[in-house]
């Protein structure tokens, strides 16, 4: 459908006329403003032409993977492994088969840009972090949780220039989205249909597993993704650095939101979160090592100390 919209844009047709016509042709619920994608993404793809847009997306994914590797390396982890795992999480960005037109999926672009933003913060380049985070928001509104969490972190740090930059981005995007919603609704016709079920679906863990499979895991059984997800979340929680805490906060918000909002067909949302979950997969190795070390570490002989009516047991370390 999005390919058809891009072709119509090449032919000189307006964005909302093109998108509205294709939504109706496909039987989509065009009365919901959230089914009308904001114009920046598809208009940019149309302007770049299809081959160029594929290579631009692949370039962004490569930059995101490099920055992710650097971020992990600076935190004391295996940067090379992080580079590889992040590339696998962004694997759809490197697929150039005409049957898999991932460059037409806004979530894929947003996921790459959010990862670049995280990597920029790891290097202390907050202006680049803000710019790419806001760009992800203009491409897909599902980047909003990342932007809001970043705004709150800037507020907590009392980093005023950074806070003002995020605020300006949020205000600009809000105006942009309101104009978009007005234009989309002004193109409604009597043939438009409403969404049969609401976006509040409470998909819970089942939907989270589906979003995680928006990667190479799509070719594997669902139980594989279901087994890996808790390990990833453990690794995310165990990355005890400033950038690790940023990623953990963002992941928590997305996992909570996806547990409540989203239909079973919205598995492409995972393209936004999977590059961030790639950090958790790499950091799950030291997290599991520390966990099992704490569980099975020898406690040494126990000394018994009489203290009046109470008896206390004290290990060697405490003694």
């Amino acid at each position: 459908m999005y390919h058809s919209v891009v072709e119509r844009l090449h032919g000189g047709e307006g964005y909302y006329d093109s998108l509205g016509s294709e939504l109706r042709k496909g039987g989509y619920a065009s009365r919901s403003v959230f089914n009308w994608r904001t114009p920046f993404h598809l208009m940019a793809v149309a302007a770049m032409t299809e081959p160029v847009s594929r290579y631009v997306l692949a370039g962004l994914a490569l930059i995101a993977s490099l920055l992710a590797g650097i971020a992990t390396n600076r935190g004391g982890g295996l940067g090379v492994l992080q580079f590889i795992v992040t590339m696998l999480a962004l694997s759809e960005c490197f697929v150039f088969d005409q049957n898999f037109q991932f460059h037409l999926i806004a979530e894929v672009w947003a996921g790459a840009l959010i990862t670049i933003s995280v990597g920029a913060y790891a290097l202390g380049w907050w202006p680049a972090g803000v710019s790419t985070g806001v760009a992800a928001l203009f491409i897909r509104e599902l980047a909003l949780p990342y932007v809001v969490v970043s705004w709150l972190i800037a507020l907590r740090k009392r980093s005023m220039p950074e806070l003002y930059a995020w605020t300006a981005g949020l205000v600009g995007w809000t105006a942009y989205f309101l104009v978009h919603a007005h234009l989309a609704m002004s193109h409604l016709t009597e043939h438009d249909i409403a969404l049969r079920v609401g976006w509040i679906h409470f998909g819970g863990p089942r939907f989270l597993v589906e979003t995680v499979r928006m990667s190479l895991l799509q070719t594997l059984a669902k139980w594989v993704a279901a087994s890996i997800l808790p390990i990833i979340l453990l690794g995310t929680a165990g990355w005890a650095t400033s950038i690790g805490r940023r990623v953990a906060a963002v992941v928590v918000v997305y996992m909570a939101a996806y547990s409540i909002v989203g239909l079973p067909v919205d598995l492409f949302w995972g393209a936004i979160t999977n590059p961030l979950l790639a950090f958790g997969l790499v950091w799950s190795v030291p997290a599991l090592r520390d966990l099992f070390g704490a569980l099975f570490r020898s406690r040494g002989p126990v000394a018994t100390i009489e203290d009046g009516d109470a008896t206390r047991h004290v290990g060697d370390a405490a003694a």
Side-chain angles (χ1 to χ4, degrees):
M1 185 191 74
Y2 293 136
H3 177 74
S4 298
V5 172
V6 169
E7 289 298 310
R8 295 174 77 145
L9 291 174
H10 283 154
E13 192 170 345
Y15 176 77
Y16 291 96
D17 290 329
S18 303
L19 182 58
S21 178
E22 293 300 326
L23 284 171
R24 296 178 194 104
K25 186 186 298 184
Y28 294 99
S30 47
R31 283 196 174 275
S32 171
V33 68
F34 295 108
N35 274 343
W36 291 70
R37 293 288 181 264
T38 50
F40 181 78
H41 167 235
L42 291 179
M43 291 185 72
V45 170
M48 286 186 283
T49 71
E50 190 166 0
V52 175
S53 61
R54 289 177 181 270
Y55 291 120
V56 170
L57 177 59
L60 290 175
L62 181 59
I63 293 171
S65 300
L66 287 169
L67 290 176
I70 293 172
T72 290
N73 189 66
R74 289 198 168 194
L78 297 175
V80 173
L81 179 60
Q82 184 67 69
F83 171 75
I84 295 171
V85 173
T86 304
M87 283 195 72
L88 292 175
L90 290 164
S91 57
E92 63 270 19
C93 299
F94 302 100
V95 177
F96 296 99
D97 192 317
Q98 291 295 325
N99 295 321
F100 300 96
Q101 303 182 58
F102 290 111
H103 66 295
L104 297 174
I105 300 174
E107 290 88 342
V108 175
W109 291 78
L113 287 168
I114 287 174
T115 309
I116 292 175
S117 177
V118 169
Y121 267 106
L123 294 174
W125 301 342
W126 72 259
V130 173
S131 300
T132 48
V134 171
L137 182 59
F138 272 81
I139 286 177
R140 189 71 166 96
E141 62 272 13
L142 287 176
L144 185 60
Y146 174 75
V147 174
V148 171
V149 169
S150 298
W151 185 90
L152 290 172
I153 292 174
L155 177 64
R156 184 175 180 274
K157 293 190 305 181
R158 299 182 185 275
S159 177
M160 302 315 295
E162 180 185 349
L163 182 64
Y164 294 150
W166 279 118
T167 302
L170 279 168
V171 170
W173 173 81
T174 301
Y176 163 74
F177 189 82
L178 290 175
V179 171
H180 158 72
H182 171 73
L183 292 173
M185 294 300 97
S186 68
H187 281 76
L188 292 183
T189 70
E190 59 182 9
H191 302 293
D192 291 294
I193 59 176
L195 195 66
R196 295 179 181 177
V197 294
W199 293 103
I200 307 299
H201 198 69
F202 292 100
R206 183 183 299 273
F207 183 60
L208 295 182
V209 169
E210 290 293 343
T211 60
V212 170
R213 294 179 71 230
M214 177 56 193
S215 62
L216 291 182
L217 292 176
Q218 188 66 39
T219 61
L220 304 177
K222 292 183 179 180
W223 68 264
V224 177
S227 302
I228 290 176
L229 180 57
I231 297 173
I232 289 175
L233 296 179
L234 173 66
T236 304
W239 188 11
T241 65
S242 60
I243 198 65
R245 287 188 287 272
R246 177 185 296 271
V247 171
V250 173
V251 166
V252 165
V253 172
Y254 271 111
M255 294 296 101
Y258 285 3
S259 296
I260 299 171
V261 182
L263 302 177
V265 297
D266 293 322
L267 58 91
F268 284 110
W269 292 8
I272 291 180
T273 51
N274 282 346
L276 298 178
L277 294 178
F279 286 109
L281 185 59
V282 171
W283 283 95
S284 66
V285 177
L288 286 170
R289 180 195 62 205
D290 293 345
L291 176 62
F292 284 108
L295 288 174
F296 299 109
R297 185 182 299 116
S298 174
R299 300 178 62 187
V302 176
T304 302
I305 301 176
E306 298 293 338
D307 184 14
D309 294 331
T311 300
R312 294 184 288 130
H313 297 280
V314 183
D316 284 348

